[in-house]
Amino acid sequence: MRLLLFLLILLWSDSILLSQTFELEAIGGPRSVSILSLSRSPETMLFAGTSRGVFRSSDGGREWTLSGFGTRSITSLLALDDSTILARVADEDLHRSSDGGQNWINTNFNGTVLALALGAERKIFCATDDGLYASDDDGLSWRLLGLQGTTIASLQLRSDGLILAGTGEGQPSFRSSNGGADWFAMELPDSRIRSLVFAGGERALAVTDTELFVSEDAGQSWSIGSLQSFGFNTLYYQGNGRVWASSVEGLQYSPDDGETWLQTELRDALLLALSHNYNDELLAGSFTGGIARSADEGQSWETSNGGFPFALIDKLAFSADGAVIGAGAGAMYRSANGSASWQLQRDMQASIFSLVRAPNGDMYAGTALAGAWRSQDEGLTWQQTNTPPFAVVSALAVSGAGHVYAGMANGIFRSSDEGDSWMLIGLQGTSIFALALTPSGTLFAAPLDGGLQRSLNGGASWQQLNFNDELTTPVYKIVNSQDGVIYIATRTGLYRSDDNGDNWQRIGPVSGDVAAAGLALNSQGTLFFSTGSIFNTWLSYDGGQQWQRIGKETQEEELVTSLEVAPDGYVYAATLGYGLYRSGRTSTGLANREIRAEA
């Protein structure tokens, strides 16, 4: 009788488990949005083109209200006044609103819009992948102005009809002194122009990926300027000699028309949009999330994200007591109640590329140009470590003995004193994208330009591994189980090695190229893998032989940026702009038969 009762209880408890879904469910997160473009109307309004629609602000950018296209990215934006707006929707046509963004019509403009600019007498100029177009009726109709067959990546206008057009494609950039009727190739030392501005007087500035060029005669001749960078994004002229340049090093400021430059405290590597409001405050919009605002020429910054309703967490870690630590938009957040509410712990003002928890409970975060940071109190406070100046730390791993390994833009570094000092140990000159350290001490590193490297001696020497006969395939994530199995998520799928990387076999739920973004293991060896979106997220109980989908189909394509397992076994997924997801139950203590029962 007792045996029968025990079996009934066991069957009842199993039925409860089986009735609880393991699917990933949205749980929210702190809020922001990717800023792709900014436009100030000649009247009072500011408009932001974001990864989730067009927003408008009537108070200088402090609070924002959705004006349209709430599910689509806006790559180019131009406000003719507070009511008339043009917006290029990603992968779609150019749209127009005449009521401040409440309603939109398709202009049926043919061509890929790359930039929009407003000239004298409300003439609109549209740079495309097939020349320059103009409209004299607020965007209702368009005519080819010139440069047909040329991809125009950047555009700058002056009120007297002077136009500069940067191609960005290795073709000559062009200049017109009569509103586009005639064009002449500019003699730039490098023709791959990313951004152009007119400064004071006859001075013009242009940037390529790595160089600043200066013209003293409105674009007729050019020389190399005084500013260099690893990669420029955009230029912006605020007036009165003030020029701003965003790059992977953050935001630089010139008070004298680009003659001399100062590095600001805003270190975000993905500032794509710059503008200023009617209080003369600068606004800097970031792809990694939100807008920063400065009223003192870049000396101090405040966030201006009020009203943006979308999530910004894209990296995750967990404290010993179960708190969720989230990184995104240059800041560190913490939730002690399962993501119901969040507290900002530290604004690092730099893109956060990696986040790990060490075996002793310390946490480390790698950033762009602000080096590595450390928390010794479960993510409550963060201190900058002594990485080299302006270090880009894209990957981190920590050994049981406390050695911290950092993959940087110029090799792999190690610290044996919790980040107080660092030493280059290998792959000098190589930019590292991912790192992993096995319990036996083997180091695996994925260079940014592809492939996989292994060191068996603490980084003293390295060997290139061949997992798919293509030595340059990008590797996105490396994880290892406690019993020595290595898994790598790559552009061509998921691979497994049972002999410390000597031999590999392809596994996984899908075939062909994938946008592999998430890979994680729980304490029992259950494998979790995302091939890009929440819907395409899977688990395997048997090392990758059988798979079950755990992501449900949603209305949006939420790109998974991080997949992690909490100490209690719950699976978390961070997405780009759509918040956090969590499994409906814990992943520990489940048998392989349960996956088959749920399938």
Side-chain angles (χ1 to χ4, degrees):
M1 181 68 182
R2 289 182 178 179
L3 177 61
L4 178 60
L5 181 60
F6 172 77
L7 291 174
L8 288 173
I9 292 173
L10 181 63
L11 289 172
W12 175 79
S13 62
D14 277 355
S15 68
I16 293 295
L17 281 174
L18 292 172
S19 67
Q20 295 174 329
T21 178
F22 198 87
E23 285 184 335
L24 297 174
E25 301 285 347
I27 59 172
R31 302 288 150 180
S32 187
V33 68
S34 295
I35 307 299
L36 306 178
S37 55
L38 290 168
S39 182
R40 185 182 67 150
S41 89
E43 297 175 338
T44 61
M45 288 291 181
L46 281 169
F47 293 89
T50 79
S51 56
R52 303 294 292 154
V54 176
F55 286 76
R56 61 185 289 161
S57 173
S58 60
D59 61 0
R62 286 162 176 78
E63 295 291 330
W64 297 86
T65 303
L66 181 65
S67 289
F69 301 108
T71 62
R72 285 169 282 180
S73 293
I74 307 300
T75 57
S76 296
L77 191 66
L78 180 66
L80 280 66
D81 51 43
D82 284 355
S83 299
T84 310
I85 317 160
L86 294 176
R88 195 263 169 161
V89 183
D91 301 322
E92 295 187 27
D93 293 331
L94 186 66
H95 288 69
R96 180 182 183 274
S97 174
S98 58
D99 55 9
Q102 301 306 308
N103 297 283
W104 296 83
I105 61 170
N106 191 330
T107 66
N108 296 313
F109 175 79
N110 293 320
T112 301
V113 177
L114 301 178
L116 292 164
L118 183 62
E121 299 178 353
R122 284 178 71 106
K123 178 180 287 189
I124 307 169
F125 295 82
C126 180
T128 77
D129 61 350
D130 189 27
L132 182 65
Y133 289 77
S135 173
D136 299 303
D137 54 9
D138 289 355
L140 293 173
S141 62
W142 296 87
R143 56 187 171 83
L144 179 66
L145 196 61
L147 303 179
Q148 188 170 20
T150 301
T151 297
I152 303 172
S154 56
L155 189 64
Q156 189 67 198
L157 310 179
R158 209 167 69 174
S159 58
D160 60 359
L162 185 60
I163 307 174
L164 303 182
T167 62
E169 292 289 331
Q171 302 171 332
S173 292
F174 293 90
R175 178 182 187 272
S176 174
S177 59
N178 54 9
D182 301 290
W183 294 91
F184 301 92
M186 293 190 291
E187 296 183 1
L188 277 153
D190 189 335
S191 60
R192 296 166 296 178
I193 301 302
R194 295 183 65 90
S195 184
L196 293 154
V197 294
F198 287 114
E202 292 295 294
R203 174 169 276 223
L205 306 175
V207 289
T208 63
D209 282 340
T210 58
E211 295 276 8
L212 170 75
F213 296 100
V214 179
S215 173
E216 304 292 356
D217 52 14
Q220 296 184 68
S221 61
W222 296 83
S223 60
I224 296 177
S226 59
L227 182 64
Q228 292 182 322
S229 174
F230 297 118
F232 284 107
N233 294 322
T234 189
L235 288 170
Y236 182 72
Y237 185 63
Q238 192 176 352
N240 297 324
R242 296 167 296 173
V243 188
W244 303 86
S246 71
S247 71
V248 297
E249 299 174 55
L251 190 62
Q252 288 85 24
Y253 167 69
S254 172
D256 50 14
D257 290 311
E259 191 68 31
T260 61
W261 294 87
L262 303 170
Q263 175 71 53
T264 73
E265 292 301 314
L266 192 59
R267 300 283 186 174
D268 194 313
L270 292 173
L271 296 172
L272 302 183
L274 301 172
S275 187
H276 69 283
N277 62 23
Y278 293 94
N279 296 321
D280 208 31
E281 298 171 315
L282 185 81
L283 302 177
S286 171
F287 181 80
T288 56
I291 293 176
R293 186 181 74 252
S294 176
D296 54 12
E297 298 180 341
Q299 296 181 55
S300 62
W301 296 87
E302 297 180 13
T303 58
S304 279
N305 295 333
F308 288 140
F310 308 113
L312 56 85
I313 295 295
D314 56 15
K315 300 289 185 298
L316 291 170
F318 303 93
S319 69
D321 59 1
V324 186
I325 313 301
M332 201 66 68
Y333 298 83
R334 192 177 193 272
S335 174
N337 53 13
S339 193
S341 62
W342 292 82
Q343 292 77 44
L344 173 64
Q345 303 299 139
R346 181 66 187 243
D347 187 355
M348 298 174 179
Q349 295 189 348
S351 299
I352 300 170
F353 290 154
S354 55
L355 180 63
V356 298
R357 186 174 189 271
N360 69 352
D362 289 355
M363 294 184 182
Y364 291 87
T367 72
L369 302 166
W373 295 65
R374 179 185 67 233
S375 173
Q376 296 180 302
D377 55 9
E378 304 290 0
L380 290 169
T381 62
W382 292 84
Q383 299 80 37
Q384 199 168 14
T385 71
N386 291 324
T387 41
F390 307 115
V392 177
V393 180
S394 52
L396 289 161
V398 187
S399 72
H403 299 300
V404 185
Y405 296 87
M408 301 192 194
N410 59 338
I412 296 178
F413 289 72
R414 182 181 65 212
S415 174
S416 301
D417 52 13
E418 298 178 331
D420 289 337
S421 62
W422 296 84
M423 178 177 65
L424 178 65
I425 63 169
L427 299 181
Q428 185 173 7
T430 301
S431 184
I432 306 301
F433 187 79
L435 272 180
L437 181 66
T438 71
S440 64
T442 302
L443 268 171
F444 290 88
L448 182 63
D449 56 3
L452 184 65
Q453 299 274 345
R454 179 184 66 181
S455 175
L456 302 174
N457 52 13
S461 61
W462 292 84
Q463 172 192 4
Q464 186 171 31
L465 302 180
N466 184 1
F467 56 87
N468 70 346
D469 296 325
E470 295 181 17
L471 299 180
T472 59
T473 297
V475 175
Y476 304 128
K477 188 73 181 284
I478 313 165
V479 301
N480 56 273
S481 66
Q482 292 300 312
D483 57 359
V485 180
I486 314 298
Y487 299 92
I488 56 172
T490 80
R491 189 189 63 195
T492 57
L494 184 62
Y495 295 83
R496 167 182 172 146
S497 173
D498 297 305
D499 53 11
N500 208 34
D502 289 336
N503 297 282
W504 297 85
Q505 60 172 319
R506 176 160 181 172
I507 59 175
V510 295
S511 59
D513 285 3
V514 297
L519 183 63
L521 284 164
N522 72 2
S523 59
Q524 297 176 327
T526 303
L527 184 63
F528 302 90
F529 177 50
S530 172
T531 58
S533 65
I534 284 292
F535 179 63
N536 291 313
T537 303
W538 312 74
L539 70 75
S540 173
Y541 285 101
D542 55 9
Q545 303 308 308
Q546 301 178 76
W547 293 88
Q548 175 194 348
R549 189 191 301 271
I550 61 171
K552 62 182 180 181
E553 193 165 8
T554 60
Q555 292 183 345
E556 309 297 336
E557 284 292 317
E558 301 93 337
L559 178 64
V560 175
T561 56
S562 180
L563 199 61
E564 305 291 343
V565 181
D568 59 6
Y570 280 83
V571 181
Y572 285 73
T575 67
L576 185 61
Y578 294 88
L580 302 179
Y581 285 72
R582 184 178 59 207
S583 60
R585 55 171 164 153
T586 180
S587 64
T588 56
L590 303 179
N592 190 37
R593 59 189 174 82
E594 292 183 58
I595 182 175
R596 290 194 294 268
E598 289 181 349

